[in-house]
Amino acid sequence: MAKIVVALGGNALGKSPEEQLNLVKHTAKSLIGLVAAGHKVVISHGNGPQVGAINLGMNFAAEHGQTAAFPFPECGAMSQGYIGYHLQQSLHNELHRQGIQKDVAAVVTQVEVDESDPAFDHPTKPVGSFYSKADADKIVAEKGYTFVEDAGRGYRQVVPSPLPKSIIEIKSINDLIENDNLVIAGGGGGVPVVETADGLKGVPAVIDKDRSSALLAANISADQLIILTAVDDVYVNYGKPEQQALRELSSADAQRYIDEGQFAPGSMLPKIEACLGFVASGNGRTALITSLDHLDDALAGKVGTLIKA
């Protein structure tokens, strides 16, 4: 029996509540397979599209006198509740369908960051929906947001993405795990907070969920970190005629490929770096990058990229 942290991508969760609920029903079946095999499982998830949509919607309502303005940290917490609710319900239903007696708990998670992190001066984390250049330019003119072109799919708002330092609710998360609960935590990378003279304070940013997931996995002494993304494998020479899937990757080879610029910043690079950080955090720890649809095959070694020390 292993302790496993599974990180789900926010882009895989859909663009609307209806789409998200349908998608997480499929997600639940794959994840409960790990539980049925006897593993202790903790689930984290991204929230880029969801927190961006919440932020824009709340700002629109505030501008039209319908509600008060909601700061970005509060939008992040709302996205944790929204996504956590759907995951919690779908996992509960799938556990019941398979006759497994286990409770599911979603923890609204705060993650401490450094107020002097240089990321606050250089927004890089895409959030929200994809826009045409004309629509993005209009939002920039109206709201002053920063937009960038994202992997040929359109333009998205970007916000600061500071590094995670510590997980505020880690003791509660550990207690839930040790009492045999299926735990959802660190949603959207956690709500970023800084320590002030008056205590914790939320800051407008989005922490990379893979880096937070790696920190979470290390803090709970997990055996494996699984990052589920849009591709089945990690590739070198991605998108070129000579592209090659990597079935297994040592830390040394991963670093060599990073130095060669093989992994795209803001896409595969932070996933690889998160995996390397987790693998280095304890003896015998491994990381796996694959797609949700082929998780079972990846666990059997047929697809996916396994990263070791």
Side-chain angles (χ1 to χ4, degrees):
M1 181 181 73
K3 189 183 293 183
I4 302 172
V5 171
V6 182
L8 301 169
N11 286 316
L13 294 173
K15 299 178 181 178
S16 69
E18 294 79 12
E19 184 182 6
Q20 178 172 286
L21 190 55
N22 284 329
L23 286 169
V24 297
K25 288 176 183 176
H26 168 66
T27 301
K29 293 179 181 178
S30 296
L31 296 178
I32 296 307
L34 291 172
V35 176
H39 302 304
K40 290 188 175 182
V41 179
V42 179
I43 300 161
S44 63
H45 60 80
N47 73 342
Q50 295 81 6
V51 72
I54 291 168
N55 184 237
L56 280 172
M58 298 306 291
N59 281 348
F60 180 85
E63 289 164 4
H64 290 77
Q66 301 300 310
T67 183
F70 273 69
F72 207 83
E74 279 72 9
C75 293
M78 291 170 72
S79 75
Q80 284 194 38
Y82 157 48
I83 298 168
Y85 155 61
H86 279 172
L87 282 171
Q88 203 170 313
Q89 185 180 86
S90 297
L91 291 165
H92 171 89
N93 289 343
E94 185 62 25
L95 286 166
H96 181 75
R97 191 185 70 80
Q98 295 192 27
I100 300 172
Q101 296 298 314
K102 188 181 289 285
D103 289 332
V104 187
V107 180
V108 176
T109 311
Q110 302 173 93
V111 174
E112 184 185 3
V113 299
D114 189 337
E115 197 167 17
S116 61
D117 192 308
F120 285 107
D121 296 322
H122 303 284
T124 59
K125 182 66 177 175
V127 299
S129 302
F130 292 91
Y131 293 89
S132 67
K133 189 174 190 310
D135 287 342
D137 288 344
K138 182 180 178 182
I139 295 172
V140 170
E142 291 175 353
K143 303 182 185 300
Y145 293 170
T146 302
F147 276 78
V148 299
E149 194 273 333
D150 186 358
R153 296 175 290 179
Y155 288 78
R156 293 179 78 189
Q157 181 190 355
V158 287
V159 297
S161 184
L163 294 174
K165 288 177 57 181
S166 65
I167 298 168
I168 304 301
E169 288 77 19
I170 192 62
K171 183 180 182 303
S172 297
I173 294 166
N174 261 318
D175 288 345
L176 286 165
I177 297 166
E178 293 311 309
N179 281 283
D180 202 33
N181 295 283
L182 176 52
V183 181
I184 303 159
V191 179
V193 297
V194 295
E195 186 70 62
T196 73
D198 297 320
L200 297 174
K201 175 186 175 184
V203 290
V206 171
I207 303 168
D208 182 85
K209 74 101 175 42
D210 297 315
R211 296 186 190 278
S212 279
S213 298
L215 178 63
L216 172 62
N219 283 181
I220 65 170
S221 300
D223 301 291
Q224 187 171 54
L225 169 65
I226 299 176
I227 295 180
L228 299 178
T229 185
V231 293
D232 295 339
D233 305 280
V234 176
Y235 295 87
V236 290
N237 301 312
Y238 183 68
K240 301 177 181 178
E242 65 273 24
Q243 82 171 19
Q244 177 185 354
L246 303 172
R247 190 65 64 241
E248 195 168 298
L249 192 58
S250 70
S251 295
D253 285 342
Q255 188 58 57
R256 176 166 59 84
Y257 289 136
I258 289 172
D259 294 341
E260 292 175 2
Q262 288 281 359
F263 308 127
S267 178
M268 188 56 72
L269 179 59
K271 300 181 192 309
I272 296 291
E273 291 177 334
C275 289
L276 291 179
F278 171 68
V279 167
S281 68
N283 292 331
R285 293 178 175 176
T286 63
L288 177 66
I289 299 177
T290 191
S291 66
L292 175 64
D293 288 342
H294 291 95
L295 176 58
D296 291 340
D297 287 338
L299 291 170
K302 297 177 183 178
V303 298
T305 301
L306 184 68
I307 301 173
K308 299 180 177 181

